[in-house]
């Protein structure tokens, strides 16, 4: 017994040595920076504990930034989820030729990664004041888009732009779930007398809702954290959270570093909650996929 | 049956319209530089700009460093956790998912506070330090994808059995890791690598806040100052993304083929 | 009286004809198996009865009502699938209740019926389990209860046992037959396993390449195969080439000797005609019994111990003949290379129509 004890310890030490590089990396470049900001959100410039920073988040301009950010993220997530689901259902259950399916999936892989600055350029070239669609609508259809109140640098414009990566993401995540619906389930339902609406209501929707709702939350968090597209599209003209935070990091526009931490903390809270619910729902959905 | 097909085709056509129009518009816009006629002048102008080549190659180098360092960190870790410390898996998985929760802008904000010129580790003082910080930032961002890809590849090869087989043949630890494990999870590493590449090359927030001469900030700068070059750059970026995705598809297909042949 | 009538049923997918002119009348309460290798069209026929596939030609009637053009959900048919196909989001009780619920049955009635059904398959204690918490055999019993809950006119079983372990397969098939007898429900059972089909069916349809080769009772199918395919697919057979010596006397020449067979077995083959005859391995025996009148000598080429029986194969003038003997610890089985003599009754010889 006495002889085996040190051996065991040595094994334990090598075990932990093996994981040490990763642990150090994670602490230094992921956990510590986050913890630093989060804790900074709860102290004042003199280092005293306070909730003032969090309360200050509710001042009109910051609150407005959060509200518009949440609105854009929610709208692009919901729009992306609905259209993405329709597209995924079409390629998975619609009986289309298989080349359509693989073409759509490959394109979605590209488009879901086509975010950031280039995406902003593409939409400026499409729906900007001199964009192709704007000009075609004006010259061919006699419809003045901007005269009708549209602006790419607005809620609607940004939502439309974000959907360019939201829809593909939805398609990529939800198609496997739709593929997991067995043909026998629909056959069993119909032979038991169910209409296809009853089958969807009693079987498909209960099976899919955790995946769909979970993916919706993932899309929401995805849009909420998107900085580059917003910055490149709007410069600093639109007051949304990532842009406020970007400006704050650049030059302390809030004149209070700790308030800046609180803004970051608020972002983490919002994306964090949506991601945790996403992961939880995903585990729930996978329970049935055995 | 026909109704279902009709709606499916409709969905595909509507989506195709939404996705293809911006690409056509971008292409059209990028060719408007010369008055009255379509030309590739904007592309010529893009490629003639020295900063295009320098920022792009800078970003590519950073991305490649990220991939190599990331693979060297993640493959042994995933292997070690699977083999020796399976009880740590939930924790490691949780940590690797964290970058999805903490937005990149928040992570880089933390770096700037923790490793600035007046901190205990003033990485931002030197170019090398800032470059290192950028690499670590990219690694953090790609962690969820890289770890998942490698871990999935390891699940299919059963590392424990492979290790025992190698040990019974007298292989040393480095041999096991680099001659047995790495080649077998190479497809996983590759598909993780392409995602990392796609993220890192176009990334704007991190290099911009670290003041690095990278491709993303250059794109934004051009966007703010030029008219016809940005859509040309967008088309180039789109083409590059397309190539990386095709490469990912090829590697995952190879992986599936390898798994299927087992 | 005929209850389920398939007349001139055909099915083509594009230019590929998978079911040719299929005719059959099934009586009420009958248990019929469709037996055949995969791709023979048996599942397609079943799916046409269920309404998942439309017939290309012919009609299917149930209780005198033409089913052509009726959607599956209007046919009141029960079906059990190979992969269980239980709804994963519902408990056992909810699965069984599904058909009653969509039919708008009252709550109290559903409850009674579900309880009755679960008692029938003796799984009442698992009513609140989810499918993923149960074994394959349990899931398949629930699927059976679900299919029966609506009191369907016909029960269709599409290879319901193929996904299960060997032991459970046997016990579940007995349970299925017991329940079917108790309810008296007209049942069609699709399988590629001849033992399964032989053991539980009233009648068997042996299908091959979209055609029903033979329809008959299990004993008919086994003892009097109508085609060479049926003879080969159902059970093991020794196939021997033979020649008719004398039609009048019903003598044929097999393996170098003349034997007399029952004249009816000749099926009108003329003098000198080459015919194929067959012998079940169990018709041959090493020991001479009073009734056996033919003996074959051959060199033993293999001896396989199968447990209760020992299957010996020997070479009789270039033709392989195998036969079974019961295992007897006191008796030495033949050795490879030995010359052995197998005896059989000439009346056991089957003449296979070419």
């Amino acid at each position: 017994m006495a002889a085996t004890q040190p051996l065991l310890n040595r094994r334990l030490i090598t075990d932990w040595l093996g994981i040490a590089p990763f642990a150090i990396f994670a602490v230094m470049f992921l956990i510590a920076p986050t913890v630093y900001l989060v804790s900074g959100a709860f102290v004042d410039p003199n280092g005293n504990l306070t909730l003032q920073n969090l309360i200050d988040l509710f001042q009109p301009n910051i609150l407005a930034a959060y509200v518009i950010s949440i609105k854009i993220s929610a709208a692009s997530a919901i729009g992306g989820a609905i259209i993405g689901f329709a597209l995924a259902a079409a390629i998975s259950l619609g009986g289309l030729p298989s080349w359509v399916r693989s073409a759509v999936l490959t394109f979605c892989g590209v488009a879901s990664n086509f975010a950031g600055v280039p995406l902003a350029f593409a939409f400026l070239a499409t729906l900007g004041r001199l964009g192709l669609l704007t000009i075609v609508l004006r010259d061919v259809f006699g419809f003045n888009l901007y005269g009708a109140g549209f602006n790419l640098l607005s809620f609607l414009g940004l939502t439309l732009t974000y959907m360019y990566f939201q829809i593909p993401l939805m398609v990529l995540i939800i198609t496997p779930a739709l593929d997991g619906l067995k043909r026998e389930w629909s056959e069993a339902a119909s032979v038991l007398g169910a209409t296809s609406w009853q089958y969807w209501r009693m079987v498909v929707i209960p099976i899919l809702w955790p995946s769909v709702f979970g993916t919706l939350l993932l899309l929401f968090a995805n849009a909420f954290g998107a900085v580059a597209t917003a910055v490149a599209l709007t410069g600093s003209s639109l007051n949304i959270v990532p842009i406020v935070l970007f400006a704050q990091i650049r030059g302390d526009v809030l004149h209070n570093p700790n308030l800046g931490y609180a803004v970051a903390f608020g972002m983490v809270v919002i994306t964090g909650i949506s991601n945790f619910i996403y992961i939880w729902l995903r585990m729930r959905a996978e329970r049935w996929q055995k | 049956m026909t109704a279902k097909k009709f709606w499916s085709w409709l969905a595909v056509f509507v989506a195709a319209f939404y996705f293809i129009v911006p690409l056509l518009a971008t292409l059209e816009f990028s060719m408007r530089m010369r008055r009255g006629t379509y030309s590739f002048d904007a592309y010529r102008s893009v490629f003639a700009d020295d900063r295009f080549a320098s920022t792009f190659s800078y970003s590519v180098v950073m991305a490649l460093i990220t991939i190599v360092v990331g693979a060297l960190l993640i493959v042994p870790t995933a292997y070690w956790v699977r083999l020796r410390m399976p009880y740590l898996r939930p924790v490691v998985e949780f940590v690797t998912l964290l970058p999805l929760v903490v937005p990149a802008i928040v992570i880089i904000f933390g770096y700037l506070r923790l490793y600035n010129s007046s901190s205990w580790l003033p990485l931002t003082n030197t170019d090398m330090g800032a470059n290192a910080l950028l690499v670590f930032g990219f690694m953090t961002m790609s962690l969820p994808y890289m770890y998942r890809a490698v871990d999935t590849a390891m699940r299919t090869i059963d590392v424990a059995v492979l290790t025992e087989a190698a040990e019974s043949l007298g292989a040393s630890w480095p041999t096991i890791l680099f001659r047995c494990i790495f080649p077998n999870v190479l497809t996983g590493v590759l598909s993780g690598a392409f995602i990392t590449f796609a993220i890192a090359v176009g990334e704007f927030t991190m290099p911009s806040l670290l003041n690095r001469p990278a491709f993303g900030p250059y794109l934004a700068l051009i966007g703010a100052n030029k008219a016809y070059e940005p859509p040309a750059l967008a088309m180039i970026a789109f083409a590059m993304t397309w190539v990386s995705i095709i490469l990912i598809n090829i590697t995952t297909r190879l992986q599936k083929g390898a798994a299927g042949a087992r | 009286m005929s209850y389920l009538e398939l007349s001139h049923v055909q099915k083509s997918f594009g230019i590929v004809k998978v079911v040719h002119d299929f005719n059959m009348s099934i009586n009420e309460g009958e248990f019929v198996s469709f037996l055949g290798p995969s791709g023979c069209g048996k599942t397609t026929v079943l799916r046409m009865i269920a309404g998942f596939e439309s017939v290309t030609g012919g009609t299917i009637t149930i209780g005198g009502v033409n089913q052509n053009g009726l959607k599956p959900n209007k046919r009141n048919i029960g079906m059990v699938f190979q992969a269980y196909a239980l709804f994963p989001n519902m408990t056992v009780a909810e699965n069984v209740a599904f058909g009653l619920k969509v039919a708008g049955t009252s709550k109290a009635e559903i409850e009674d019926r579900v309880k009755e059904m679960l008692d029938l398959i003796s799984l009442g204690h698992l009513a609140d389990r989810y499918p993923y918490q149960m074994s394959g055999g349990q899931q398949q019993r629930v699927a059976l209860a679900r299919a029966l809950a609506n009191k369907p006119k016909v029960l269709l079983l599409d290879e319901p046992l193929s996904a299960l372990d060997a032991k459970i397969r046997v016990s579940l098939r007995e349970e299925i037959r017991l329940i079917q007898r108790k309810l008296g429900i007209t049942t069609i059972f699709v399988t590629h396993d001849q033992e399964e089909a032989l053991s539980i069916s009233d009648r068997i349809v042996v299908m091959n390449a979209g055609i029903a080769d033979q329809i008959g009772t299990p004993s008919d199918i086994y003892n009097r195969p109508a085609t060479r395919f049926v003879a080969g697919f159902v059970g093991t057979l020794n196939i021997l080439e033979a020649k008719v010596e004398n039609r009048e006397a019903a003598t044929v020449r097999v393996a170098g000797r003349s034997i007399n067979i029952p004249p009816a077995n000749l099926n009108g083959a003329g003098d000198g005609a080459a015919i194929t005859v067959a012998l079940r391995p169990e018709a041959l025996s090493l020991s001479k019994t009073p009734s056996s009148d033919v003996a074959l000598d051959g060199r033993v080429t293999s001896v396989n111990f199968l447990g209760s029986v020992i299957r010996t194969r020997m070479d009789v003038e270039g033709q392989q003949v195998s036969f079974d003997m019961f295992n007897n610890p006191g008796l030495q089985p033949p050795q490879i290379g030995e010359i052995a003599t197998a005896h059989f009754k000439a009346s056991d010889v089957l003449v296979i129509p070419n």
Side-chain angles (χ1 to χ4, degrees):
Chain A
M1 197 67 212
T4 59
Q5 201 60 38
L7 244 176
L8 244 173
N9 273 337
R10 192 197 288 169
R11 188 187 157 98
L12 212 63
I13 289 165
T14 44
D15 276 2
W16 284 97
L17 270 180
I19 197 112
F22 178 79
I24 293 168
F25 169 79
V27 167
M28 276 186 71
F29 296 104
L30 179 55
I31 295 167
T34 312
V35 169
Y36 182 87
L37 289 188
V38 170
S39 55
F42 290 92
V43 295
D44 64 18
N46 301 321
N48 303 312
L49 270 182
T50 176
L51 288 177
Q52 191 56 44
N53 298 318
L54 299 190
I55 294 165
D56 285 348
L57 285 181
F58 290 89
Q59 66 192 50
N61 66 324
I62 298 183
L63 188 63
Y66 270 102
V67 169
I68 185 83
S69 271
I70 289 173
K71 269 167 72 177
I72 291 171
S73 307
S76 75
I78 292 170
I82 292 172
I83 299 170
F85 187 87
L87 190 54
I91 60 168
S92 172
L93 310 171
L96 299 181
S98 64
W99 65 264
V100 175
R101 181 192 157 96
S102 54
V104 168
L105 285 179
T106 309
F107 184 86
C108 284
V110 177
S112 65
N113 281 298
F114 184 62
V117 183
L119 178 63
F121 293 165
F123 269 81
L124 282 169
T126 311
L127 283 168
R129 284 182 190 278
L130 291 173
L132 182 66
L133 202 57
T134 316
I135 291 173
V136 168
L137 282 175
R138 189 191 62 201
D139 295 352
V140 181
F141 296 96
F143 178 71
N144 186 342
L145 200 58
Y146 277 75
F150 177 82
N151 186 348
L152 188 56
L153 315 183
S154 67
F155 166 74
L156 185 62
L158 218 52
T159 303
L160 216 53
T161 309
Y162 279 12
M163 272 168 42
Y164 203 85
F165 58 81
Q166 300 279 56
I167 295 172
L169 201 56
M170 179 75 182
V171 170
L172 290 180
I173 299 179
I174 215 71
T175 300
L178 283 166
D179 288 343
L181 294 173
K182 298 205 179 88
R183 189 182 69 172
E184 285 94 341
W185 291 341
S186 87
E187 288 180 352
S190 85
V191 92
L192 287 165
T195 60
S196 54
W197 162 237
Q198 280 170 323
Y199 165 62
W200 272 78
R201 185 168 55 84
M202 297 167 75
V203 181
V204 178
I205 293 172
I207 290 175
L208 286 186
W209 83 262
S211 307
V212 172
F213 191 67
T215 312
L216 185 74
L217 288 165
L218 184 80
L219 298 186
F220 175 83
N222 189 35
F224 199 82
V227 182
T229 312
V231 171
L233 203 55
T234 71
S236 48
S237 67
L238 193 63
N239 184 33
I240 61 174
V241 178
I243 291 181
V244 169
L245 189 58
F246 192 78
Q248 166 69 11
I249 300 171
R250 269 281 161 80
D252 195 16
V253 291
L254 300 170
H255 310 295
N256 177 355
N258 295 90
L259 183 55
Y261 302 155
V263 172
F265 173 68
M267 266 187 103
V268 174
V269 168
I270 289 174
T271 54
I273 290 175
S274 17
N275 270 295
F276 279 123
I277 303 179
Y278 163 68
I279 291 165
W280 178 71
L281 286 172
R282 188 151 190 114
M283 273 156 36
R284 223 189 114 109
E286 274 166 7
R287 184 180 68 172
W288 290 328
Q289 282 171 7
K290 283 180 212 172
Chain B
M1 195 66 195
T2 33
K4 195 164 89 178
K5 262 201 174 142
F6 168 76
W7 288 111
S8 303
W9 277 116
L10 189 72
V12 170
F13 278 122
V14 169
F17 180 80
Y18 172 76
F19 283 106
I20 290 170
V21 163
L23 294 177
L24 287 179
T26 311
L27 184 66
E28 194 268 350
F29 205 110
S30 72
M31 293 167 69
R32 277 193 220 163
M33 196 166 183
R34 194 178 297 172
R35 281 207 180 275
T37 176
Y38 286 130
S39 70
F40 287 100
D41 286 3
Y43 294 86
R44 229 164 277 142
S45 157
V46 163
F47 289 119
D49 187 349
D50 287 344
R51 285 173 303 169
F52 172 79
S54 68
T55 57
F56 185 68
S57 54
Y58 173 85
S59 282
V60 167
V61 169
M62 287 296 124
L64 292 178
I65 295 175
T66 304
I67 288 165
V68 171
V69 178
L72 284 176
L73 180 72
I74 284 168
V75 173
T77 304
Y79 168 70
W80 201 248
V81 169
R82 270 200 173 268
L83 188 70
R84 298 287 285 269
M85 309 171 89
Y87 50 91
L88 271 189
R89 263 193 79 193
V91 181
V92 174
E93 267 186 18
F94 174 80
V95 171
T96 58
L97 284 176
L98 269 184
L100 292 179
V101 175
V102 187
I105 188 170
V106 173
I107 290 174
I108 204 72
F109 191 10
Y111 287 6
L112 289 170
R113 289 291 170 270
L114 272 184
Y115 307 110
N116 63 25
S117 48
S118 54
S119 73
W120 61 283
L121 187 63
L123 283 174
T124 57
N125 272 0
T126 61
D127 272 352
M128 276 320 286
N131 289 344
L133 218 44
L134 187 62
V135 166
F136 289 134
F138 286 162
M139 270 168 70
T140 310
M141 283 177 74
S142 65
L143 200 54
Y145 312 102
M146 194 72 167
Y147 190 86
R148 196 119 320 214
V150 170
D151 198 50
T152 310
M154 280 196 184
R155 188 171 55 211
T156 60
I157 63 165
D158 197 344
V159 283
V161 173
L162 208 60
T163 305
E164 277 171 17
E167 270 179 331
S168 74
L169 294 169
S172 66
W173 279 105
T175 314
I176 293 175
L177 201 54
F178 288 100
R179 309 277 305 264
C180 301
I181 304 299
F182 254 104
N184 275 301
V185 297
L186 193 64
T187 50
V189 173
L190 276 180
S191 68
F194 290 123
I195 299 176
T196 308
F197 192 83
I199 293 174
V201 169
E203 171 62 15
F204 164 77
T205 318
M206 284 193 168
S208 163
L209 290 173
L210 283 168
N211 285 321
R212 294 289 82 207
F215 193 51
Y218 168 73
L219 287 179
L221 183 74
I222 296 294
N225 298 312
K226 299 262 176 86
Y228 301 106
E229 283 84 349
L233 282 164
M235 288 314 291
I236 295 168
F238 187 80
M240 287 191 316
T241 317
W242 193 281
V243 170
S244 343
I245 295 299
I246 286 173
L247 288 175
I248 291 176
N249 280 353
I250 291 171
T251 47
T252 42
R253 205 161 302 153
L254 285 179
Q255 192 167 355
K256 268 187 203 140
R262 297 175 59 84
Chain C
M1 57 151 280
S2 161
Y3 183 66
L4 170 58
E5 185 87 40
L6 298 133
S7 82
H8 304 293
V9 171
Q10 298 174 28
K11 180 71 192 175
S12 307
F13 293 110
I15 55 159
V16 186
K17 210 163 190 184
V18 287
V19 177
H20 304 257
D21 198 38
F22 188 97
N23 293 287
M24 189 176 189
S25 314
I26 297 172
N27 297 327
E28 190 155 15
E30 203 177 1
F31 193 113
V32 174
S33 292
F34 289 178
L35 174 65
S38 55
C40 71
K42 57 191 194 300
T43 296
T44 309
V45 174
L46 197 78
R47 291 174 62 81
M48 285 192 283
I49 298 171
F52 299 141
E53 311 283 356
S54 56
V55 295
T56 311
T59 49
I60 297 173
T61 54
I62 299 176
V65 181
N66 190 338
Q67 303 289 307
N68 290 13
L70 268 186
K71 288 195 165 164
N73 59 357
K74 298 277 180 270
R75 294 191 178 192
N76 192 17
I77 278 172
M79 183 149 176
V80 174
F81 299 82
Q82 179 176 354
Y84 325 136
L86 293 179
F87 304 126
N89 57 316
M90 299 182 196
T91 62
V92 166
E94 286 165 349
N95 263 289
V96 176
F98 183 87
L100 302 161
K101 218 165 138 188
V102 296
T105 317
S106 77
K107 258 202 171 128
E109 220 173 307
I110 292 180
E111 216 166 284
D112 289 348
R113 184 79 181 143
V114 167
K115 194 176 165 335
E116 188 189 335
M117 283 295 113
L118 291 181
D119 288 344
L120 187 70
I121 55 163
S122 27
L123 284 180
H125 58 294
L126 299 180
D128 295 324
R129 289 274 182 95
Y130 281 93
Y132 71 94
Q133 296 168 315
M134 300 196 302
S135 71
Q138 289 171 331
Q139 289 190 50
Q140 199 57 296
R141 277 147 77 194
V142 174
L144 181 67
R146 180 179 69 176
L148 292 170
N150 282 36
K151 303 195 171 138
K153 296 196 211 112
V154 176
L155 177 64
L156 306 177
L157 307 166
D158 187 6
E159 307 230 7
L161 307 172
S162 338
L164 303 171
D165 295 342
K167 273 215 172 118
I168 296 170
R169 217 180 296 167
V170 173
S171 69
L172 188 54
R173 87 177 179 218
E174 282 161 5
E175 194 173 340
I176 288 175
R177 179 58 159 156
L178 215 67
I179 291 172
Q180 186 268 340
R181 281 224 170 93
K182 199 190 292 180
L183 303 179
I185 184 168
T186 312
T187 302
I188 298 177
F189 179 85
V190 163
T191 180
H192 60 260
D193 182 329
Q194 40 110 355
E195 186 197 321
E196 245 167 55
L198 291 172
S199 65
I200 57 173
S201 317
D202 290 322
R203 277 196 297 164
I204 296 175
V205 181
V206 184
M207 289 191 67
N208 178 30
I211 294 169
D213 263 26
Q214 187 174 7
I215 301 177
T217 62
S219 116
D220 265 346
I221 298 280
Y222 190 83
N223 295 322
R224 284 175 290 283
T227 65
R228 185 166 184 158
F229 173 81
V230 175
F233 191 76
V234 182
T236 314
L237 264 189
N238 293 305
I239 305 273
L240 300 167
E241 300 308 326
K243 204 169 241 174
V244 180
E245 274 191 339
N246 188 331
R247 205 175 108 90
E248 298 302 309
T251 52
V252 294
R253 189 155 190 89
V254 185
R257 70 211 62 214
S258 290
I259 57 174
N260 266 6
I261 62 168
N265 283 9
L266 262 183
N267 295 336
D271 283 0
I275 54 170
T276 307
V277 298
L279 268 171
R280 297 277 177 205
E282 62 268 28
L284 291 144
S285 133
L286 270 184
S287 50
K288 184 166 166 48
T289 58
S291 57
S292 55
D293 44 20
V294 188
L296 287 178
D297 294 325
R299 188 173 294 280
V300 176
T301 54
S302 76
V303 181
N304 289 312
F305 183 67
L306 303 176
S308 61
V309 296
I310 296 167
R311 175 158 296 176
T312 309
R313 192 183 294 253
M314 64 184 193
D315 182 281
V316 182
E317 304 191 358
Q319 305 203 63
Q320 292 291 317
V321 173
S322 50
F323 55 88
D324 291 344
M325 55 186 281
F326 284 112
N327 174 35
N328 181 348
L331 219 69
Q332 170 83 0
Q335 300 294 306
I336 292 175
E338 249 174 39
I339 300 290
T341 307
H343 304 267
F344 63 94
K345 275 194 301 190
S347 58
D348 282 340
V349 173
L350 310 168
V351 178
I352 309 292
N354 280 325

